[in-house]
Amino acid sequence: MLENALRGDKKYWGWIAFLLGVMFVGLLFYLHQLHYGLGVTGLGRDVTWGFYIAQFTFLVGVAASGVMVVLPYYLHNFKVFGKLTVLGEFLAIASVIMCMLFIFVDMGQPFRIANVFLHPTPHSLMFWDTVVIFGYLILNVIISRVTFSAERKGIAPPSWIKPIILLSIPWAFSIHTVTAFLYSGLAARPFWMTAILAPRFLASAFAAGPALLVLLCLVVRKVARYDVGREPLQKLAVIITYAMAINVFFILMELFTTIYSNIPEHLAHIKFLYLGLEGNTRLVPWMWASSILAVISLVLLINPRTRKNETVLAFACVVTFLSLWIEKGLALVIAGFIPSPLGVVPDYWPTIPEFLISMGVYAVGFLVVTVLYKIAISVRERLAA
Amino acid sequence: MYDAGKIIVGLVIFLLLITAPVWYNAASGQASYAPHLEIVTDAKACVAPTDYMRTSHMELLNTWRDEVVRHGEREYTAFDGTVYEKSLSNTCMGCHSNKAEFCDRCHDYMAVGRPYCWDCHVEPKGGSQ
Amino acid sequence: MSVDRRKFFKIAGLTALSLASKPAFEVFAEGVDPVDSTATIPPPTTQPTGPLTAHRWAMVIDIHKCMAEHGCTKCIAACHLEHNVPDFGNPKDEVKWIWKESFGHAFQEQENEHLHEEMKHQSVPVFCNHCDNPPCVRVCPTKATWKREDGIVMMDMHRCIGCRYCMAACPYGSRSFNWRDPRPFIKEINPKFPTRTRGVVEKCTFCVERLAQGMPPACVEACTAQAMTFGDLEDANSELRTALRERFSIRRKAALGTNPEIYYLV
């Protein structure tokens, strides 16, 4: 199967070379970070998690969202997603790999990572997060391999895979729930300590992930002339619409509770995000951009006429993805630390090395997606011919 | 066999290459070199029998580390009855104060790499090589 | 002494052999140090130096005594010298075990516009609260930080993977991370205590290494105003308990349920 990834035209190889280049730059800066320490990032004593952990959190969502195609297909026998499931699973695999790399680059002592397994600590949610994310990767690799090679041979997948697929459905929910618990269980950080953090995470994930999948399908249609068809994208669009609407609703609920109850320690973080605090307005333009994008997204998605137009849908997906990335892949983590529990307002912004290392990790993810999609499409084209 | 001759030549070259360090050492007379270790102390014995120390001092250090840091047990009764503080910098290096010509020299000779402990634990004045 | 390579391996092999028989020997020799399986163990020759022990270590800080020494930083200097705490000169990389925080920051919920003049403008020493219910311990994925039986929240820098989850969980900002190599920024190295390396978290340990030698924490010893009282919370007759009985005390963010064990007398 893998040989399919080694056949491609100039554009394909150009893209691969570009990704390898970005990975290489990222690696160089990572070596610098190893040598100097995490001080090369914008992080400091007060803001101890930043861009890396935010990307991790966001991508756990993308990984979990694979369930949005798996669930209808396997649980409701929704045949329309037939062509899509493996693409969803491959996207999940790539996302989980990126998640792991983001955790790895964020560690102060990466070579001691085995300690998490040598000294298992059930009262730590970080331990459980590692376990469920590893498990999710293994599940998805097994499932996509088995079902796809059955498809290639033109036979039905073996029956033992069905229970594994069913297991992967609650598992997908669990990875994002546990990731939310990582934050929402901390009494020290009022901004995160909210019971709807996990539901919020799931809602935003089920909007952002499928939005990315729609975009990937459109790209694939254009560059590889492989068409998953119009209907599955329309169905995904409906899922995105509901998830996005729920996400916005949840955010409004958070805002109401925080603002109306008026507890200073809770309110301060919201002020920092939307108005700025003690002159620190780092995230204010971003947050307003995210809010405006969210409104545009909802308008375009809820209106059936715009949603059913594929060009507009593509635009709506970009808008949705950006809005949610700002909210979760940038603001959520940083705002938890500003102000600090002592009421100090520190500043944080990713540095160039931090950004390039992150881009390197993203390049790894894109490489995995590209190679896996290439294999899937080549095999299917041969089957169709 | 297609090209038995070529394969054999290839294998010989491969074997020569992977055993190169051995030949290199033999040629340069390195193999017969044994390091002279500076123990620097009037004491007659180490904290455990010399044979044990030679092969397993890292295990002893790891045990000390865990007992001190994790269990708060800081005293060590040696095989000869002497009581020592379980401490890398304050005990081992008290007797082996010449780190460069003791620890480092042996580690270099055995090519095991220098332990990272000295990133944190302070080495006695006189430093490494 | 010198060993040549062959002799070395011979000895190493023999030792390995004798070590392999170690487990069998241990069955019969419980309590015998496995290091030497042949020698008989004579009783220790020196007496232990008498470490300080307690059921529950805690500290009381008299804010008034402390504030009377306007801007005194003796406790900080003593602690940071003892533990090789670096001074980076910038707040981003900063590492600190004990420091002075304005009353309003240390006790946010106690702040008000018409606060006592002294409290308004002065600061109090803050450091790890050695909570009875420490959130940092709860979240640590490797047990690199844990609560000892005597209540001290200890840190194992050998095991820490540098994930900084404990720093996110601590409501007091008591923990510091080594964002870069601290060695060049330590003015005067105390050779008796290890420095740290980039990538690990550190904090106050109530001077466990000093307690083991029968000495009180460095900050307590350095405080000439005697504003810091260190003692056993479970000993009803201790100076600490007497102070708590006689004066009104507050704790930082006690409402969070962490049960901090540093008490401030106001």
Side-chain angles (χ1 to χ4, degrees):
Chain A
M1 268 200 262
L2 210 58
E3 72 280 356
N4 291 307
L6 297 176
R7 276 192 299 255
D9 55 9
K10 265 214 183 102
K11 255 196 271 168
Y12 174 73
W13 285 112
W15 170 238
I16 298 279
F18 168 74
L19 289 178
L20 288 175
V22 177
M23 277 162 63
F24 182 70
V25 173
L27 180 70
L28 287 186
F29 278 92
Y30 181 65
L31 292 177
H32 172 54
Q33 176 183 300
L34 266 188
H35 178 73
Y36 181 93
L38 276 160
V40 298
T41 66
L43 299 168
R45 196 175 187 285
D46 287 318
V47 183
T48 57
W49 283 346
F51 203 66
Y52 295 151
I53 294 294
Q55 301 321 298
F56 157 78
T57 310
F58 183 76
L59 288 166
V60 174
V62 175
S65 74
V67 77
M68 283 292 110
V69 289
V70 171
L71 191 149
Y73 183 67
Y74 287 104
L75 225 50
H76 300 293
N77 212 5
F78 189 65
K79 287 280 181 290
V80 178
F81 279 171
K83 277 178 153 180
L84 215 59
T85 39
V86 86
L87 300 188
E89 282 158 2
F90 283 167
L91 177 60
I93 291 176
S95 309
V96 176
I97 291 175
M98 286 189 273
C99 289
M100 291 178 169
L101 287 172
F102 272 115
I103 288 288
F104 191 77
V105 297
D106 188 68
M107 287 176 61
Q109 291 282 339
F111 300 118
R112 295 185 187 167
I113 193 157
N115 283 359
V116 178
F117 303 102
L118 292 177
H119 310 285
T121 313
H123 53 70
S124 168
L125 281 156
M126 179 100 55
F127 166 73
W128 288 111
D129 213 26
T130 325
V131 171
V132 291
I133 285 173
F134 255 113
Y136 192 64
L137 179 63
I138 294 168
L139 283 179
N140 268 290
V141 169
I142 296 176
I143 293 170
S144 53
R145 239 200 101 86
V146 169
T147 54
F148 192 63
S149 56
E151 180 186 334
R152 197 168 60 122
K153 292 181 199 124
I155 52 173
S159 55
W160 57 263
I161 197 71
K162 188 83 193 214
I164 298 187
I165 293 172
L166 294 183
L167 174 67
S168 82
I169 292 171
W171 204 287
F173 285 86
S174 84
I175 62 168
H176 217 24
T177 307
V178 176
T179 305
F181 284 177
L182 220 57
Y183 298 97
S184 64
L186 303 182
R189 309 282 167 186
F191 181 64
W192 298 331
M193 210 192 64
T194 156
I196 62 162
L197 197 67
R200 252 178 76 191
F201 271 22
L202 288 169
S204 61
F206 295 157
L212 182 60
L213 191 58
V214 167
L215 292 172
L216 286 177
C217 288
L218 292 175
V219 169
V220 161
R221 182 192 290 167
K222 196 142 194 191
V223 298
R225 271 172 233 96
Y226 175 77
D227 194 355
V228 294
R230 188 185 147 78
E231 207 191 338
L233 297 191
Q234 284 302 319
K235 292 292 175 208
L236 276 180
V238 174
I239 293 177
I240 300 170
T241 311
Y242 275 104
M244 187 64 183
I246 294 174
N247 183 55
V248 170
F249 175 62
F250 281 167
I251 291 181
L252 292 174
M253 282 169 52
E254 294 270 31
L255 290 177
F256 166 77
T257 310
T258 312
I259 295 170
Y260 194 80
S261 67
N262 196 33
I263 302 174
E265 280 173 21
H266 292 243
L267 198 59
H269 299 279
I270 302 291
K271 270 196 193 147
F272 164 69
L273 280 180
Y274 292 94
L275 302 171
L277 204 63
E278 295 182 17
N280 184 344
T281 53
R282 264 299 176 202
L283 289 178
V284 174
W286 292 89
M287 277 323 277
W288 285 108
S290 171
S291 311
I292 293 165
L293 290 171
V295 172
I296 298 175
S297 147
L298 279 185
V299 168
L300 294 179
L301 286 170
I302 292 176
N303 183 343
R305 260 193 309 177
T306 43
R307 184 177 69 232
K308 285 185 177 148
N309 176 332
E310 249 173 28
T311 323
V312 181
L313 176 63
F315 178 71
C317 283
V318 172
V319 167
T320 310
F321 189 84
L322 283 180
S323 166
L324 293 172
W325 182 82
I326 295 172
E327 182 207 320
K328 197 166 155 195
L330 191 67
L332 178 106
V333 172
I334 303 174
F337 291 99
I338 304 175
S340 82
L342 301 186
V344 180
V345 182
D347 193 20
Y348 165 79
W349 196 244
T351 58
I352 289 169
E354 193 176 3
F355 182 74
L356 291 175
I357 292 172
S358 303
M359 289 306 113
V361 175
Y362 270 113
V364 173
F366 274 108
L367 187 72
V368 173
V369 166
T370 309
V371 167
L372 290 178
Y373 276 26
K374 174 90 167 90
I375 294 173
I377 292 165
S378 309
V379 168
R380 284 197 176 150
E381 272 172 348
R382 215 160 320 133
L383 287 179
Chain B
M1 291 291 265
Y2 303 110
D3 270 323
K6 271 185 205 160
I7 291 176
I8 289 170
V9 173
L11 272 177
V12 170
I13 294 176
F14 175 70
L15 277 177
L16 279 175
L17 275 179
I18 61 164
T19 51
V22 176
W23 307 121
Y24 175 79
N25 269 355
S28 63
Q30 282 256 333
S32 57
Y33 158 81
H36 172 71
L37 302 175
E38 290 295 343
I39 293 173
V40 205
T41 172
D42 296 334
K44 289 279 173 302
C46 196
V47 295
T50 317
D51 291 352
Y52 175 83
M53 287 312 286
R54 205 166 283 159
T55 52
S56 310
H57 56 281
M58 41 277 167
E59 284 157 34
L60 180 76
L61 281 170
N62 281 354
T63 320
W64 278 18
R65 178 194 68 200
D66 288 347
E67 285 172 355
V68 169
V69 177
R70 304 195 70 89
H71 307 295
E73 298 156 8
R74 288 183 184 248
E75 257 165 35
Y76 175 78
T77 311
F79 68 121
D80 60 2
T82 325
V83 175
Y84 294 100
E85 181 199 348
K86 289 175 191 158
S87 171
L88 173 56
S89 289
N90 306 336
T91 306
C92 308
M93 307 323 281
C95 285
H96 304 293
S97 57
N98 193 338
K99 171 172 168 288
E101 286 167 12
F102 186 70
C103 316
D104 291 351
R105 187 170 280 180
C106 185
H107 291 154
D108 290 351
Y109 175 67
M110 303 294 297
V112 290
R114 294 190 189 168
Y116 62 89
C117 319
W118 309 107
D119 288 353
C120 297
H121 291 268
V122 184
E123 52 188 81
K125 290 244 157 53
S128 52
Q129 280 169 330
Chain C
M1 82 172 272
S2 74
V3 238
D4 65 44
R5 197 178 252 194
R6 195 177 298 152
K7 194 169 153 209
F8 180 93
F9 281 125
K10 225 191 268 169
I11 297 167
L14 279 176
T15 322
L17 212 75
S18 69
L19 281 179
S21 61
K22 191 182 79 174
F25 187 82
E26 269 170 3
V27 174
F28 301 105
E30 222 181 86
V32 172
D33 202 296
V35 163
D36 178 41
S37 49
T38 48
T40 46
I41 313 280
T45 47
T46 48
Q47 283 300 309
T49 40
L52 295 184
T53 55
H55 294 292
R56 206 330 164 181
W57 286 118
M59 183 118 66
V60 165
I61 295 171
D62 187 327
I63 293 189
H64 295 289
K65 278 189 189 165
C66 178
M67 285 180 174
E69 309 288 313
H70 298 270
C72 164
T73 53
K74 283 184 195 140
C75 52
I76 303 173
C79 169
H80 288 185
L81 186 69
E82 164 87 19
H83 299 114
N84 289 322
V85 176
D87 179 6
F88 291 100
N90 73 63
K92 176 179 171 311
D93 292 331
E94 191 176 24
V95 173
K96 53 191 179 189
W97 287 28
I98 175 170
W99 73 101
K100 284 182 114 180
E101 195 66 65
S102 72
F103 185 84
H105 280 161
F107 295 95
Q108 263 174 313
E109 64 282 0
Q110 303 291 344
E111 212 190 0
N112 70 58
E113 234 181 282
H114 313 288
L115 201 66
H116 188 278
E117 271 305 308
E118 205 178 25
M119 307 282 176
K120 214 171 189 170
H121 303 292
Q122 295 241 16
S123 48
V124 292
V126 294
F127 44 98
C128 174
N129 277 291
H130 295 278
C131 304
D132 215 28
N133 186 7
C136 53
V137 169
R138 208 180 309 146
V139 301
C140 176
T142 60
K143 303 192 190 80
T145 189
W146 72 98
K147 198 180 84 180
R148 303 196 334 166
E149 271 176 19
D150 58 5
I152 294 178
V153 176
M154 188 54 186
M155 184 69 216
D156 186 347
M157 329 242 177
H158 305 96
R159 188 178 291 181
C160 174
I161 60 173
C163 71
R164 312 188 293 292
Y165 197 9
C166 55
M167 298 177 77
C170 176
Y172 310 102
S174 297
R175 292 175 161 266
S176 305
F177 181 74
N178 286 277
W179 298 102
R180 49 189 299 199
D181 185 10
R183 277 253 172 115
F185 299 90
I186 306 172
K187 269 180 228 96
E188 198 183 318
I189 290 194
N190 165 15
K192 292 224 178 303
F193 197 84
T195 65
R196 267 71 63 197
T197 183
R198 66 209 127 196
V200 295
V201 171
E202 61 183 85
K203 67 169 198 78
C204 154
T205 62
F206 257 168
C207 284
V208 283
E209 80 288 354
R210 286 172 59 94
L211 299 180
Q213 292 166 10
M215 292 185 284
C219 53
V220 176
E221 192 177 85
C223 181
T224 43
Q226 293 183 317
M228 298 171 124
T229 311
F230 181 69
D232 189 349
L233 195 68
E234 285 185 16
D235 175 2
N237 299 319
S238 61
E239 205 186 322
L240 183 111
R241 283 285 292 277
T242 315
L244 289 177
R245 234 185 339 258
E246 288 168 0
R247 301 266 304 274
F248 180 68
S249 60
I250 55 174
R251 295 185 295 171
R252 297 175 65 200
K253 298 201 178 189
L256 295 184
T258 52
N259 207 354
E261 295 294 10
I262 312 290
Y263 299 78
Y264 292 84
L265 302 179
V266 287

